[in-house]
Amino acid sequence: MMAMMASSTAISLLLTTLQLLLNPTNSFSIISMTSSNQPSPLALNLKCKVKPTHTSKFLTAIKANQHSTRQTEPNNLQFVVGQDVTDPQTFYFHEEFVNCEALKEHMETDHFKVYNEFVTKEEPFEEPPVICLYHLRDEELEDVTAKKRGVHKESFGLNVNLYPRQSVRKEFLKVISDNKKGTDTVEELALQYTYGESITMEGISEG
């Protein structure tokens, strides 16, 4: 899985990275590498480490962005914010959108711009956030896009990046696919199992 790292210059770390990925003239453009008619929703995983002095302000800013996104963006399917179980300064986002255009629309909303302004002015991160983008695999499109996925506040989340060798890629994908099907079918305590392949290079992300 390719992890694109945001710039630490004056403009937002997050916005810079997403603009690089979404800009059709960029070599890593997700628009040029995926069809506009791509039937699979787009997922975003983000990991960031927040300065202890900025934790409270950061949580206020990201929760406001999360709330407005879920309430006002019909093409946003999920927006989850989690905190690391061993490092309280490390946070994870998992967001899902109907398609690439929905993510671009999200970046143009007032609430995203407010969050982006906070990141730009306050510089809350100790290091550049790491962002992974991928299309969901083995999901029924109508089921996924029919309604927003729930946010289970007491749940435990696990995010894994895997790097299979090209020689075993086909077999590896089948194993992951079978694992998801089994989890969805028989594990009642498993609330969600999503995975996909990086849109910038071959690799797998589960989250």
Side-chain angles (χ1 to χ4, degrees):
M1 165 62 71
M2 184 172 191
M4 297 299 296
M5 299 186 66
S7 170
S8 58
T9 56
I11 57 177
S12 164
L13 301 172
L14 176 60
L15 185 59
T16 299
T17 299
L18 292 178
Q19 285 179 330
L20 288 173
L21 288 167
L22 290 165
N23 181 359
T25 64
N26 186 273
S27 60
F28 293 115
S29 167
I30 65 174
I31 301 301
S32 63
M33 298 186 72
T34 60
S35 168
S36 60
N37 296 320
Q38 168 65 262
S40 178
L42 182 71
L44 178 153
N45 288 342
L46 182 146
K47 176 183 178 181
C48 60
K49 191 173 181 65
V50 179
K51 299 173 184 175
T53 54
H54 288 65
T55 303
S56 179
K57 289 183 178 181
F58 166 76
L59 287 173
T60 298
I62 192 57
K63 288 180 178 179
N65 183 29
Q66 176 193 37
H67 177 77
S68 294
T69 298
R70 288 183 59 79
Q71 294 296 317
T72 65
E73 295 185 44
N75 290 327
N76 169 261
L77 302 175
Q78 190 170 44
F79 194 147
V80 178
V81 178
Q83 189 173 22
D84 196 282
V85 297
T86 58
D87 181 2
Q89 299 310 126
T90 297
F91 294 85
Y92 303 89
F93 307 167
H94 176 74
E95 303 176 42
E96 295 179 11
F97 295 87
V98 172
N99 51 34
C100 298
E101 288 300 319
L103 176 56
K104 291 179 66 177
E105 291 171 1
H106 168 66
M107 293 167 58
E108 295 168 356
T109 62
D110 290 339
H111 50 267
F112 179 86
K113 291 177 181 178
V114 169
Y115 172 73
N116 179 61
E117 182 178 4
F118 162 77
V119 171
T120 302
K121 290 184 176 180
E122 296 289 337
E123 299 184 352
F125 304 127
E126 288 191 352
E127 56 193 42
V130 177
I131 300 174
C132 296
L133 289 166
Y134 58 96
H135 284 289
L136 302 183
R137 295 177 66 107
D138 285 345
E139 297 278 8
E140 293 294 333
L141 181 61
E142 292 183 359
D143 292 342
V144 174
T145 59
K147 62 179 180 180
K148 292 181 183 292
R149 296 186 193 257
V151 176
H152 305 278
K153 295 184 179 180
E154 302 302 321
S155 63
F156 176 82
L158 175 68
N159 174 246
V160 181
N161 289 339
L162 304 172
Y163 307 84
R165 295 195 304 270
Q166 181 65 30
S167 60
V168 297
R169 178 179 179 277
K170 183 177 180 180
E171 294 81 359
F172 178 81
L173 286 173
K174 185 178 187 310
V175 169
I176 294 294
S177 178
D178 290 344
N179 188 32
K180 171 179 167 53
K181 291 175 183 176
T183 300
D184 291 344
T185 302
V186 303
E187 296 187 36
E188 295 181 359
L189 296 180
L191 302 175
Q192 182 176 326
Y193 188 137
T194 60
Y195 82 98
E197 190 166 11
S198 168
I199 59 175
T200 50
M201 66 181 293
E202 292 183 339
I204 303 298
S205 181
E206 298 178 298

